[in-house]
Amino acid sequence: MAKHLDRTLSFSLVWIAAWAVGAGSLAAQNPGVPQMTIPSPVQSVRAPHPIPGMIPTRQDGFPAEVAPMTQGSSNWLEMVQIYSRTHAEITSMRVGWAYALPSGLEFHQSDPIKPPFGLEPSGAYPVKNLDAPARADARDLVVFMEQVTFADKSAHNYDHAKVEAFYKNCCTGANAGRVPPIPQGRQQPEMPGGALDRGMVLTHGLKPITFDVVSFRRADKPGRGREFPDDGDFIAYHGSPIEGLIMFAHIAPKGYASIDNASEPDWVRTELYEFIAKVAPEDLPTWKQMTLTDKRAMVGRMLETTLKLKVHQQPDPQPVYELVVAKGGSKLMDYHAGDTLPVAGQAPVAGHVMGWWGSPFYMNAQDATMADLVNMLSGPDRSGRVVLDKTGLDGTYNFVLPLTPRPLPAQIQQIADDAGVPSLQTGLKQLGLALVPAKGPVDQIVIDHIERPDTN
């Protein structure tokens, strides 16, 4: 279940697409989440076209999909990311989109796009500057993979009827701005959620797994960061420095760490790489059953071999925030087995989740510990400091918090301001929590030895 937590830490902009189904408070419709006041997204008068309207669709069995999407100032599709989990090479593709008009969906498609080289082994490829201009008469833009052809000459076409059915189900009539209903009853209402140390303790006697493909290749520009699908057989970093990979493999047991700058060669921080490690087929069933911490340990073992990496950890006093229970006590709602999180147009999500469902402005948590929360709050792109848990709360909880996965572009931040999205401190106060400035020990990763990778 911890796999959901790590997926949310991707550097991609997939959360913008996840917000596309528009208005409405997920928390207000989920009896497993405290009733937090979340204003419906509004259109900023400063925005050139409606931001909350980009909706990705996926079809079961279709071998490629559109995931992250971004907008330009006048073009509704400035960039999309193409994924294929089943094929290693795309030879041609078309991106499709449909304007949602009062008369129905109006379908369009791009010209054939031929990648200059086949897909990376991770199965992802960026497509930029598609000609899908913003239209004042369109309520939404539905985006999908219109056509894809692979090296084995197999061609696949998207089913427009299924796109129309998806849009009708998620976004029209009585369903507009709503999510599927959540069962009012709970299975086993008195059974608590997972243990506090779930995913943070290495499994005893863990059997090592093998990565049969490990590749480092120098990159000339920043990429989208980590790609680590919960149902995949690989971990990849795109256009990223190696220090991010080291932190992934050696994150502190409490959930956050930094690298000691004095011990880190400059190239570890400044050189960019395309990296992928693919799990050997015979170890894939074991890999899929591993906790996140176990997977980190396997990546750490791989780095010991490929980079001759040796590290140790030591505490370092730094300015921090302490997460404490505010005056009046905690208002967190306990997690119970059977709780689910609604996702517009999809089946509700069960189990351990921390992510952005329905809005880039609010993080939804289910079956989450305080260790999970301080990990999400820590860092320069979140609270601005490392956050230490001083709450004394040892349960697992459901909650919603006004927290973005990364700083918002100015245009979207303006929409948040116009919509009245509260501050992080205000959101924590509604949960009966607070951040208090302090000075405390932060685990630092000290690099004792590392060698540049062989690029291939």
Side-chain angles (χ1 to χ4, degrees):
M1 291 188 294
K3 61 190 178 184
H4 293 287
L5 171 61
D6 194 75
R7 180 176 59 188
T8 66
L9 301 182
S10 168
F11 292 115
S12 75
L13 294 179
V14 68
W15 48 269
I16 293 181
W19 180 39
V21 287
S25 164
L26 295 183
Q29 301 175 55
N30 186 353
V33 178
Q35 298 303 298
M36 179 178 182
T37 301
I38 303 179
S40 299
V42 299
Q43 171 56 34
S44 170
V45 295
R46 301 167 184 82
H49 54 82
I51 294 291
M54 297 171 64
I55 305 175
T57 70
R58 296 170 179 83
Q59 293 181 10
D60 292 342
F62 198 81
E65 63 189 47
V66 170
M69 305 180 297
T70 57
Q71 293 177 311
S73 59
S74 60
N75 192 332
W76 219 329
L77 282 176
E78 185 175 61
M79 188 183 89
V80 299
Q81 197 80 38
I82 306 301
Y83 287 86
S84 174
R85 305 298 185 201
T86 59
H87 291 66
E89 186 175 273
I90 285 178
T91 57
S92 177
M93 55 190 168
R94 294 177 186 263
V95 176
W97 61 91
Y99 293 104
L101 307 176
S103 58
L105 296 183
E106 179 184 289
F107 287 91
H108 297 262
Q109 63 181 15
S110 70
D111 293 331
I113 302 168
K114 293 185 179 297
F117 47 83
L119 283 186
E120 295 300 309
S122 63
Y125 189 82
V127 178
K128 295 184 177 181
N129 299 322
L130 295 172
D131 186 19
R135 286 175 48 170
D137 59 343
R139 179 179 182 271
D140 298 307
L141 187 76
V142 187
V143 185
F144 47 91
M145 191 71 179
E146 172 70 24
Q147 184 185 72
V148 62
T149 303
F150 295 104
D152 61 4
K153 301 188 184 304
S154 61
H156 305 264
N157 294 286
Y158 226 58
D159 187 337
H160 287 189
K162 292 182 178 179
V163 175
E164 291 175 328
F166 169 87
Y167 185 74
K168 181 179 180 180
N169 180 60
C170 80
C171 312
T172 64
N175 292 330
R178 296 180 61 84
V179 294
I182 300 302
Q184 295 301 307
R186 286 173 166 163
Q187 310 164 5
Q188 305 170 297
E190 299 307 319
M191 181 177 177
L196 176 64
D197 63 359
R198 177 195 56 250
M200 301 306 292
V201 175
L202 191 67
T203 300
H204 178 69
L206 184 65
K207 180 183 176 181
I209 63 103
T210 300
F211 294 96
D212 63 354
V213 174
V214 177
S215 172
F216 287 90
R217 191 163 50 82
R218 285 294 299 273
D220 58 2
K221 59 183 179 181
R224 66 185 185 281
R226 182 166 67 236
E227 185 182 7
F228 185 38
D230 57 329
D231 59 346
D233 63 352
F234 68 91
I235 177 172
Y237 277 73
H238 303 284
S240 301
I242 285 178
E243 70 172 4
L245 185 57
I246 295 173
M247 288 189 65
F248 174 86
H250 295 281
I251 195 167
K254 294 181 180 179
Y256 193 86
S258 60
I259 294 180
D260 173 44
N261 290 335
S263 70
E264 180 183 32
D266 288 344
W267 64 266
V268 174
R269 182 174 58 256
T270 60
E271 292 182 359
L272 302 178
Y273 288 85
E274 289 288 323
F275 161 81
I276 184 167
K278 187 175 181 298
V279 179
E282 62 270 20
D283 288 333
L284 186 56
T286 301
W287 171 261
K288 289 188 174 183
Q289 292 301 315
M290 284 183 174
T291 67
L292 175 58
T293 295
D294 291 347
K295 290 181 178 181
R296 292 182 191 274
M298 295 300 102
V299 173
R301 290 174 62 94
M302 177 269 297
L303 294 179
E304 291 177 7
T305 301
T306 57
L307 304 181
K308 307 299 187 290
L309 178 67
K310 297 184 183 299
V311 304
H312 71 275
Q313 295 193 9
Q314 65 184 26
D316 179 52
Q318 294 182 15
V320 299
Y321 284 120
E322 293 180 345
L323 182 69
V324 302
V325 176
K327 185 177 179 179
S330 167
K331 297 178 177 62
L332 291 164
M333 176 171 283
D334 291 338
Y335 167 79
H336 293 269
D339 288 352
T340 55
L341 182 72
V343 181
Q346 302 178 37
V349 177
H352 180 54
V353 178
M354 293 188 74
W356 288 265
W357 307 94
S359 168
F361 308 138
Y362 295 94
M363 182 189 73
N364 289 265
Q366 179 175 265
D367 190 19
T369 67
M370 291 299 97
D372 292 334
L373 178 56
V374 297
N375 183 37
M376 295 296 277
L377 291 173
S378 293
D381 288 347
R382 306 289 171 79
S383 67
R385 298 182 182 182
V386 171
V387 179
L388 304 179
D389 177 24
K390 299 293 182 180
T391 63
L393 301 173
D394 60 1
T396 62
Y397 309 95
N398 300 340
F399 55 87
V400 170
L401 193 63
L403 177 71
T404 59
R406 60 187 295 180
L408 296 173
Q411 185 186 55
I412 298 180
Q413 182 60 58
Q414 184 61 57
I415 292 178
D417 296 341
D418 291 351
V421 175
S423 67
L424 173 62
Q425 288 284 11
T426 298
L428 287 169
K429 183 178 180 180
Q430 293 192 32
L431 300 177
L433 304 174
L435 291 178
V436 178
K439 192 167 187 178
V442 175
D443 288 322
Q444 281 209 320
I445 300 169
V446 180
I447 298 177
D448 300 311
H449 181 79
I450 188 171
E451 298 178 8
R452 274 191 175 90
D454 291 332
T455 56
N456 46 55

